[in-house]
């Protein structure tokens, strides 16, 4: 009997990280490109509700980033040797990223919304609580509801929907097709953005469960640092245009 060798999937965790970083950069580039009128100019008028511009295309591609970050978070949660340190790193970079976030989105040091690292941090807390209190469902639900309330009032990027998305990604981690449809429901809205978010599941389906070429503490923290650094760069470009 001839054995058919299963073809290895091509994308490592490092490749997913690069895709997440690049699509996020494309998304956030609208802060700079908005200065040019052609960026908002409609070049395909599908209907009154769906008018395609470069702005819409950039934001649609950008919807790929958050599902990838959420997926990588669930993978990191399952493979990390120190979940407390993992949570601490997310909270640290949430605090570091707050000023760049406020500058880029409002031009001031203080703002009314918080960056996506807070959303990722709360999503990680949901997973930690869910596993820690498997034998005590009452405490489990109390803590999960408390995290949901914090997410509602914190006003972080993607908000309660984002935290719910992360938790759904975790609960459905063994069921990829339901994961795509159920998880994407949390990010529903503009039809283009919804399909953009669902597009993230193409690279996810090609994930080979290997770490890849991003190894060591330097590159690990460089991946974290890209978020606040790229926002600062975009802010200074925007300010000087």
């Amino acid at each position: 009997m001839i054995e058919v060798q299963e073809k290895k999937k091509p994308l490592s965790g490092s490749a997913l990280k690069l895709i997440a970083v690049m699509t996020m950069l494309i998304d956030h580039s609208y802060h700079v490109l908005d200065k040019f009128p052609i960026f908002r100019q409609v070049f395909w008028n599908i209907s009154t509700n769906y008018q395609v511009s470069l702005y819409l295309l950039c934001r649609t591609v950008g919807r790929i980033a958050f599902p990838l970050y959420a997926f990588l978070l669930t993978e990191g949660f399952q493979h990390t040797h120190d979940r407390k340190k993992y949570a601490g790193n997310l909270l640290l970079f949430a605090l570091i990223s707050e000023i760049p976030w406020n500058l880029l989105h409002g031009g001031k040091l203080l703002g009314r919304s918080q960056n996506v690292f807070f959303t990722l941090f709360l999503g990680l807390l949901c997973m930690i609580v869910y596993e820690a209190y498997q034998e005590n469902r009452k405490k489990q639900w109390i803590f999960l509801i408390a995290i949901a309330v914090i997410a509602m009032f914190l006003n972080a990027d993607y908000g309660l929907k984002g935290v719910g998305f992360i938790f759904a990604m975790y609960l459905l981690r063994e069921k990829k097709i339901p994961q795509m449809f159920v998880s994407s429901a949390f990010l529903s809205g503009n039809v283009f953005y919804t399909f953009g978010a669902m597009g993230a599941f193409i690279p996810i389906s090609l994930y080979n469960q290997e770490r890849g070429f991003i190894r060591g503490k330097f590159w690990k923290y460089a991946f974290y640092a890209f978020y606040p650094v790229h926002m600062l760069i975009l802010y200074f470009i925007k300010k000087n245009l």
Side-chain angles (χ1 to χ4, degrees):
M1 184 175 179
I2 300 175
E3 291 187 4
V4 179
Q5 188 174 4
E6 186 178 349
K7 190 175 181 181
K8 184 179 178 180
K9 294 181 179 180
L11 298 182
S12 65
S14 299
L16 293 185
K17 287 179 180 180
L18 286 181
I19 295 171
V21 162
M22 294 308 298
T23 51
M24 178 179 65
L25 181 59
I26 291 170
D27 181 32
H28 289 173
S29 66
Y30 86 88
H31 288 283
V32 172
L33 296 175
D34 246 2
K35 297 289 185 180
F36 304 96
I38 193 172
F39 187 61
R40 291 274 185 170
Q41 186 175 332
V42 175
F43 63 83
W44 185 14
N45 197 347
I46 300 175
S47 67
T48 304
N49 294 325
Y50 302 116
Q51 297 177 317
V52 182
S53 62
L54 290 175
Y55 169 82
L56 181 63
L57 291 180
C58 281
R59 300 309 306 274
T60 299
V61 170
R63 298 311 93 195
I64 293 173
F66 182 72
L68 285 178
Y69 278 106
F71 175 77
L72 290 166
L73 181 69
T74 62
E75 284 292 298
F77 171 74
Q78 294 172 77
H79 294 103
T80 185
H81 298 297
D82 191 339
R83 290 174 176 176
K84 287 184 179 179
K85 185 177 179 181
Y86 192 26
N89 284 335
L90 288 177
L91 183 57
L92 174 63
F93 276 90
L95 296 172
I96 291 172
S97 301
E98 194 57 18
I99 288 178
W101 167 269
N102 291 336
L103 288 173
L104 184 62
H105 290 84
K108 299 178 180 179
L109 293 177
L110 298 177
R112 295 182 178 180
S113 63
Q114 280 69 50
N115 65 82
V116 78
F117 264 118
F118 283 105
T119 308
L120 296 174
F121 173 70
L122 292 176
L124 180 63
L125 287 187
C126 284
M127 293 185 279
I128 291 173
V129 164
Y130 182 81
E131 289 204 355
Y133 294 101
Q134 288 282 8
E135 304 301 323
N136 191 332
R137 295 295 183 183
K138 185 178 180 180
K139 279 190 175 181
Q140 187 184 69
W141 278 103
I142 289 173
F143 282 120
L144 288 174
I145 291 171
I147 293 169
V149 171
I150 292 170
M152 288 174 62
F153 287 97
L154 190 60
N155 197 26
D157 198 16
Y158 287 96
L160 180 59
K161 281 186 175 183
V163 176
F165 181 93
I166 293 168
F167 195 43
M169 289 279 282
Y170 165 72
L171 293 176
L172 297 171
R173 60 193 180 280
E174 303 297 335
K175 302 174 182 178
K176 296 304 179 187
I177 294 179
Q179 185 188 60
M180 177 178 69
F181 287 102
V182 174
S183 299
S184 294
F186 283 92
L187 302 181
S188 61
N190 180 306
V191 67
F192 286 92
Y193 293 176
T194 300
F195 277 105
M198 292 178 70
F201 289 88
I202 296 174
I204 288 173
S205 68
L206 299 174
Y207 174 55
N208 58 23
Q209 299 187 8
E210 295 180 2
R211 180 181 294 182
F213 49 87
I214 297 178
R215 295 174 179 270
K217 285 188 177 181
F218 174 82
W219 291 110
K220 172 186 174 181
Y221 288 107
F223 175 67
Y224 284 125
F226 181 86
Y227 183 67
V229 169
H230 94 279
M231 287 192 295
L232 272 180
I233 293 172
L234 288 175
Y235 165 71
F236 285 117
I237 295 175
K238 175 183 177 180
K239 187 178 179 181
N240 287 284
L241 276 177

